């Protein structure tokens, strides 16, 4: 099995995406290996397709792996989110990245990537669309509608002076 993964990986590295995907699909179709290994092959194939396939195709391949309780759920969510991002489905990408960001069991580096993506997605969402950015993560960066007129803008708060205590000269 490891040799098959290596061959598929080398094909992908050399630019033979079609061959690599076929090899990963062949691994995923084997019934004499563990389900986790087959699912890893499915994820690797989907990752190779994320830039070119439709979100529906990626969902068909790995959508079931995004379910809570699956060992690969956050990896599947990240691939589905990237697919949605690439196809311009910012609401879908927001949903998947938000699920990763909210999952305290997700690896920290994956949650950090999700937070960065959520910040970028927020700029693409229509005003008023709730952002999935978690309260502990990056702020909800979706802009509020602009005031109708300048008179609707509240005046700035008055500046407050702060007294700075004088310090004695150092003793010599």
């Amino acid at each position: 099995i490891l040799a098959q993964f290596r061959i598929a990986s080398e094909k992908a590295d050399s630019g033979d995406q079609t061959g690599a995907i076929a090899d990963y699909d062949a691994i995923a179709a084997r019934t004499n290996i563990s389900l986790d290994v087959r699912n890893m092959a499915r994820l690797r194939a989907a990752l190779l397709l994320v830039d070119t396939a439709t979100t529906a195709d990626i969902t068909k391949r790995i959508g079931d792996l995004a379910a809570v309780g699956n060992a690969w759920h956050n990896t599947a969510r990240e691939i589905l989110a990237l697919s949605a991002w690439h196809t311009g489905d910012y609401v879908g990408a927001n949903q998947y990245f938000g699920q990763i960001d909210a999952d305290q069991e997700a690896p920290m580096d994956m949650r950090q990537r999700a937070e960065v993506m959520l910040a970028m997605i927020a700029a693409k969402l229509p005003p008023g669309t709730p952002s999935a950015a978690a309260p502990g993560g990056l702020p909800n960066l979706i802009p509020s509608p602009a005031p109708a007129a300048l008179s609707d803008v509240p005046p700035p708060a008055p500046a407050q002076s702060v007294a700075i205590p004088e310090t004695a000269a150092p003793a010599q």
Side-chain angles (χ1 to χ4, degrees):
I1 297 301
L2 292 177
Q4 289 177 313
F5 271 101
R6 174 83 185 243
I7 291 167
S9 178
E10 288 178 4
K11 285 182 181 179
D13 289 344
S14 70
D16 182 8
Q17 302 287 7
T18 304
I21 292 165
D23 286 354
Y24 286 129
D25 286 346
I27 296 169
R30 292 184 56 178
T31 57
N32 63 338
I33 58 176
S34 78
L35 182 60
D36 284 339
V37 172
R38 293 189 321 235
N39 287 342
M40 182 171 55
R42 291 172 56 200
L43 290 165
R44 297 289 301 259
L47 192 56
L48 290 173
L49 290 166
V50 78
D51 291 331
T52 58
T54 66
T55 303
D57 290 339
I58 299 294
T59 302
K60 185 190 288 187
R61 282 182 166 271
I62 62 165
D64 61 310
L65 300 180
V68 173
N70 185 292
W72 299 104
H73 69 277
N74 281 315
T75 303
R77 288 174 181 171
E78 188 170 37
I79 295 169
L80 290 163
L82 288 172
S83 175
W85 168 264
H86 283 289
T87 61
D89 176 10
Y90 302 118
V91 173
N94 186 55
Q95 174 190 342
Y96 285 120
F97 281 124
Q99 290 171 351
I100 294 167
D101 190 40
D103 186 348
Q104 297 300 311
E105 294 181 13
M108 183 56 70
D109 60 333
M110 186 180 284
R111 290 179 59 211
Q112 289 170 340
R113 285 192 305 271
E115 288 176 359
V116 169
M117 291 303 296
L118 286 168
M120 290 193 306
I121 290 165
K124 304 267 186 190
L125 291 172
T129 304
S131 171
L138 296 175
N140 181 346
L141 300 175
I142 300 173
S144 302
L150 193 53
S151 61
D152 293 341
V153 178
Q160 295 180 355
S161 61
V162 177
I164 301 174
E166 291 186 32
T167 58
Q172 292 187 8

